[in-house]
Structure formats: structure tokens, C-alpha cells
């Protein structure tokens, strides 16, 4: 079984609203939908790879993320081989669903049934005080996620008021943050893995080996 650790970062929707305390925004108020800014992934203990919006796409009104989505579509299509497990924090409810929605938008081929391990779901089976990836990595390894400057990083990429240079710098910052999530994810997954109650059998076809790590 091959493990692929994955994470994506999305850019927020843009909308026209009348009040600052608006709680629900109808779809007809939306001027720009959610797009994928960047993604990072790593196979087993291999190097971390990434994909991001290009400078030209950042300048377009539509924040066209087709090239990013196509690369992620190719990555997830590896799931059809049957020996690939995708690992991520909240990967089932967020990453895979967002990618799949963007794939549908560009009319790409349907994704196969994916084998996933959601570290958020797994962590919730234990009595940790918090279940966020940042806390789990800090609590278990004294590390934590890459620090960033918060929402202004997303704003500097998404807003039309940012200069191309400002957008490029913010996107580079976001890719660095996204890659840091993969490092966190690997550490947390490796520590929690022996305690998982359910996990794809890693000993299939390898003889007498550990069912959880294959060693």
C-alpha cells in the first residue's frame, strides 16, 4: 500500500452584501466562487510536491484554477490502482469534496472510489483536549504548524487591489504553509497509526508483516 499525504488551500468566495453582520449570503450575491490556490502532497516518506495558481491566473478576474485542479485530478486518479491510501486532516469532509467539486466544474472524468485515512476522524476516537492538526502536532511532538499572518495572507492573494508582486509573495507564503501541513500530518499520522482501530491492511501481498505499518 502506498500512502499519499495531501492538503489543499482554498481562496474565499467574494460577495456583495449590504450589512457587515450578514449571517447568510444568498448565491445571487456571490461574485466569485471558491477556488483552489495551492496544494501539497508527498508519497510515503518522499519529497513534498506542490502546485499553485500561476501569475497569469492570479491576474484574471475569475481566479482560474483549472491547471491546479487538473494536476490534483491526476493525483487522485491514482486511487483507481487500488493500492493507494490518501491521508489528510479532515480530508473526507473538505479536501476531497472541494477537489471533486472543482473537477465537476471543469467536466473532468469522475474520480474513483478513494481509500482515505482522515486523521481528524481518527484523533476524535481518543480523548485529546483538541483535535486540530496544530494542537495534535504541538501536543505530541512539540512542533505545530507553520505560523502565518492569518487572513491577510488569503486577502492579499484574492483581492484585485493587490499588486502582482504582492499576490506572488502571499501565494509563496501560502505554499510554504501548505507544505508545512504535510510535515505536521506525517508526524501526527506516524504517532497515531499504531492506535488506529481500523486501517487498510498493509501486509497484503508482503508476507508476515505488521498489518498497520507493513514493517
Amino acid at each position: 500500500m502506498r500512502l499519499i499525504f495531501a492538503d489543499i488551500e482554498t481562496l474565499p468566495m467574494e460577495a456583495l452584501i449590504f450589512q457587515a453582520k450578514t449571517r447568510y449570503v444568498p448565491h445571487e450575491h456571490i461574485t466569485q466562487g471558491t477556488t483552489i490556490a495551492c496544494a501539497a502532497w508527498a508519497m510515503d516518506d518522499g519529497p513534498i510536491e506542490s502546485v499553485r495558481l500561476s501569475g497569469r491566473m492570479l491576474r484574471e478576474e475569475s481566479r482560474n484554477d483549472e491547471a491546479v485542479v487538473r494536476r490534483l485530478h491526476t493525483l487522485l486518479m491514482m486511487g483507481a490502482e487500488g493500492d493507494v491510501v490518501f491521508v489528510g486532516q479532515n480530508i473526507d469532509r473538505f479536501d476531497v469534496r472541494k477537489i471533486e467539486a472543482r473537477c465537476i466544474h471543469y467536466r473532468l472524468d469522475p474520480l474513483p472510489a478513494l481509500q482515505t485515512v482522515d486523521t481528524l476522524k481518527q484523533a476524535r476516537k481518543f480523548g485529546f483536549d483538541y483535535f486540530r492538526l496544530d494542537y495534535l502536532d504541538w501536543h505530541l511532538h512539540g512542533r505545530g504548524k507553520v505560523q502565518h499572518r492569518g487572513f491577510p495572507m488569503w486577502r492579499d492573494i484574492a483581492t484585485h487591489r493587490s499588486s502582482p508582486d504582492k499576490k506572488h509573495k502571499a501565494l509563496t507564503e501560502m505554499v510554504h504553509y501548505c507544505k508545512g501541513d504535510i510535515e505536521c500530518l506525517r508526524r501526527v499520522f506516524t504517532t497515531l497509526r499504531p492506535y488506529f482501530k481500523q486501517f487498510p491492511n498493509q501486509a497484503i501481498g508482503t508476507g508476515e508483516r505488521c498489518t498497520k505499518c507493513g514493517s
Side-chain angles (χ1 to χ4, degrees):
M1 301 291 286
R2 292 175 292 170
L3 301 176
I4 298 181
F5 299 88
D7 182 55
I8 67 171
E9 298 297 335
T10 59
L11 294 178
M13 294 185 288
E14 297 177 29
L16 300 174
I17 58 175
F18 290 101
Q19 298 180 17
K21 293 185 178 182
T22 300
R23 293 187 178 182
Y24 176 78
V25 180
H27 72 273
E28 59 265 26
H29 291 203
I30 303 298
T31 59
Q32 170 63 60
T34 302
T35 51
I36 300 176
C38 65
W41 65 90
M43 297 186 183
D44 297 307
D45 58 352
I48 299 175
E49 301 181 60
S50 65
V51 64
R52 68 177 76 186
L53 289 172
S54 68
R56 180 175 65 85
M57 295 308 180
L58 280 175
R59 290 191 292 272
E60 290 187 357
E61 291 293 319
S62 62
R63 292 191 326 219
N64 190 318
D65 61 352
E66 183 173 359
V68 174
V69 173
R70 286 187 176 277
R71 180 65 186 90
L72 292 174
H73 179 266
T74 299
L75 180 70
L76 293 186
M77 287 300 289
M78 293 177 63
E81 298 173 19
D83 64 343
V84 175
V85 178
F86 294 92
V87 182
Q89 177 80 356
N90 202 24
I91 191 172
D92 291 338
R93 292 189 61 186
F94 182 74
D95 301 76
V96 170
R97 292 176 66 190
K98 286 294 184 183
I99 295 171
E100 195 160 26
R102 298 306 291 161
C103 288
I104 295 172
H105 176 78
Y106 292 116
R107 306 299 193 270
L108 303 182
D109 291 340
L111 295 175
L114 302 176
Q115 292 191 82
T116 62
V117 173
D118 192 324
T119 51
L120 176 61
K121 287 182 178 179
Q122 293 292 340
R124 282 177 171 163
K125 296 178 181 180
F126 310 108
F128 294 114
D129 294 329
Y130 301 91
F131 305 105
R132 296 175 65 89
L133 183 62
D134 186 38
Y135 171 78
L136 291 171
D137 193 31
W138 172 82
H139 176 68
L140 296 173
H141 312 110
R143 301 288 291 276
K145 300 177 69 168
V146 171
Q147 297 300 305
H148 61 81
R149 51 197 175 89
F151 186 76
M153 179 174 68
W154 277 265
R155 182 193 61 207
D156 288 349
I157 298 171
T159 180
H160 303 311
R161 297 180 180 179
S162 292
S163 66
D165 183 60
K166 191 173 185 179
K167 287 186 176 185
H168 174 73
K169 288 181 178 178
L171 184 57
T172 299
E173 181 184 356
M174 181 175 285
V175 172
H176 176 64
Y177 168 70
C178 190
K179 287 183 174 181
D181 276 5
I182 300 300
E183 294 175 346
C184 280
L185 186 61
R186 276 174 164 169
R187 289 191 293 266
V188 170
F189 171 81
T190 300
T191 298
L192 294 182
R193 185 175 185 167
Y195 304 95
F196 289 167
K197 303 300 186 294
Q198 293 179 317
F199 190 78
N201 190 336
Q202 299 293 282
I204 294 178
T206 62
E208 295 182 358
R209 299 194 175 200
C210 175
T211 60
K212 292 185 179 179
C213 72
S215 64

